[in-house]
Amino acid sequence: MSGAALGLEIVLVFFLALFLLHRYGDFRKQQRMVLFGTLLAWYLCFLIVFILPLDVSTTIYRQCIEDHEEHLTVSTVSPTNRTGSSGPNPPIPSPCHRPWSYIPEGIMPVFWRVVYWTSQCLTWLLLPFMQSYARSGGFSITGKIKTALIENAIYYGTYLLIFGSLLIYVAVHPDWPYELQTIGITAANTWGLFLLVLLLGYGLVEIPRSYWNASRHGHLLMKTYFKASKLMTEKADAEENLEDVMEEVRKVSESIKYNHPLRKCIDTILRKCPVDYQEKMGRNMDDYEDFDDKQNSYPTEKSLVKLHKQVIYAVQRHNRTRVQWQILLQQAVHLEDVAKNETSLSHQFVHSFQSAEPPGRFSRYVYTPTVEWYWECLLKRWFYRLVSVVLTLFSVAVVWSECTFFSTRPVLSLFAVFIQLAESDYNYLYIEMACFITIFFLCTCVYSTVFRIRVFNYYYLASHHQTDAYSLQFSGMLFCRLTPPLCLNFLGLIHMDSAISHRQKLPTAYTSIMGSMRVLSFIANGFYIYYPMLIVILCIATYFSLGTRCLNLLGFQQFMDDSEMTSDLIDEGKELIRRGESGVKIAEIKATQNVPQTGFCFHREEEEAEDRRWREPTESEKNDHHADGSLPSAGGKSSLRLSVIFCISRHAGGRYLSMSSSRNRIFDDV
């Protein structure tokens, strides 16, 4: 089995990274270079996390062999054996049993060296360049490379300045005790540990709390309404931004004719536009009209590059908000169904909207309506509460160990106690499982925070293939910078780092290659020991939602139970979800019934929520539709009404679309 566990984990981790990249990225539309760079960064970081427990168990086994050989050396030096006769003592059986996942000596140092330096080159050199390259609006590879180099000139120049200064200092002071490699590793680990503690302090509290809140269906439904209100605002802003950009593209496309030298740039921009806008611009353009550079002023290539960049951003943002709205609508419908079915006496889960696809074997024989009712309405909440309690205990253990891991006599770190107990019995399977669960929990707290945070619209990881190239590569940079200090911190928690345990033990292959907390004494004895204690303050701040309250005071609306603005946004989101459900219901009925081809209207009143009547549109309603399909507003003013009319008319191409009020009317009363 030597090396088999290492090879198996290498393959499994690759598919894990590939699965996550498929969930957040888009294999069909995004550039291959972006996908490859992100996949490589995620893969290397996950590989470090999964392989480190094998390194720990192998190191413990090697330490056992070394201790046993020393014991044999001492026993053979004795001139007489235990029977009193001269001669060597009888051989002592070795208590060391080779672990099933043992990795032969010499493999791990080479493996860690390749993984570490590849990840560092990615995060500090390649990924920043690839970010600028992917975000560039250039029309050629040369133009994109030039733009990326210009944008990263300050970034790379700072590195060269620091490296040159250190090189000159070492040349002037040959007695300097530290090497440049040691200083570079320490600087990277220090920066990563600084950011690691901030993200870890948030995740240790927020992850258990998120599972507890998931068991509260009412709270979850209110938060979904709140998200719907904010998302609709963002969606309306994205649509307006897309329309403005498309109008600019239309003007440029009409001014630059087919035989203009820059026409190929316009064609590249048009291919990035939505299909309906391409058809619209194609109908309005006369390809047979020549250009005259004496009569018209034409845009420059630099302005077209800027416009190309705006088109890419506007289209991606519009598609993301549209997909997120559909997903959020499905979540709200499901939560409302759970709330309705909780009071059902038949214990049969009934969906408001039946799936168009026939149920599969799993739904017919295993996950039946009865089983679904017991899971959704009864068991799921208790399961989430149990998970929340277990995660809370893990969080408390991590906080305690982070504050006491420097104490070796007595050993106060809980994880170090567990590992040392297993080490005394040489239970390698328990050691590997304990190490894997611990580091996996730490990585979940840190990585989930990376996936949750959002820096306006510049960095945002959105699932269902809606993450842009810039955010994907930025996440890869963060992972590569956070993972090495996270693993060093984990080795300190279990006292496998000699700088913490102060014992003469064999170092792991990881610390021998990537550095230890002992590399620079003035940092190891201060910052590395006392800075992780800041987790206590961060956990308290997260528990009382101090960051959320500060953002709310600054004008960024956050979900807060005791806020009047939150209540208003919940009411608005509830109405938006109702309108979305009505549109879904109309589409469902249209698909199952024979509806007149001229169109129909759906009238719903708030006082009669269950009374749904169909009627033919009147002549005035047919003639008064706006160009965008919305109903006319009296005097140009309107607010959220108790009576809502949804009309369906057939557009070009035979499609039926819901014609609700325009997006400007939704927020008139906010």
Side-chain angles (χ1 to χ4, degrees), residues 512-552:
S512 64
I513 299 301
M514 297 190 183
S516 168
M517 288 189 174
R518 185 185 283 176
V519 285
L520 294 180
S521 58
F522 62 90
I523 293 181
N525 297 329
F527 181 79
Y528 283 168
I529 292 179
Y530 297 106
Y531 179 70
M533 296 182 184
L534 186 62
I535 287 182
V536 179
I537 300 177
L538 294 173
C539 288
I540 294 174
T542 305
Y543 179 79
F544 291 102
S545 303
L546 297 183
T548 301
R549 297 180 187 275
C550 292
L551 289 175
N552 203 51

Side-chain angles (χ1 to χ4, degrees), residues 26-71:
D26 192 340
F27 288 170
R28 295 177 300 175
K29 296 182 180 180
Q30 288 175 333
Q31 300 177 6
R32 297 294 180 265
M33 184 181 66
V34 172
L35 297 174
F36 176 76
T38 306
L39 177 63
L40 183 59
W42 289 8
Y43 175 58
L44 294 177
C45 295
F46 296 162
L47 205 58
I48 295 175
V49 173
F50 279 79
I51 302 300
L52 189 59
L54 304 184
D55 190 7
V56 172
S57 64
T58 301
T59 303
I60 293 176
Y61 171 72
R62 291 172 50 222
Q63 182 67 47
C64 176
I65 294 295
E66 184 174 306
D67 294 342
H68 180 65
E69 291 177 352
E70 291 180 359
H71 183 68

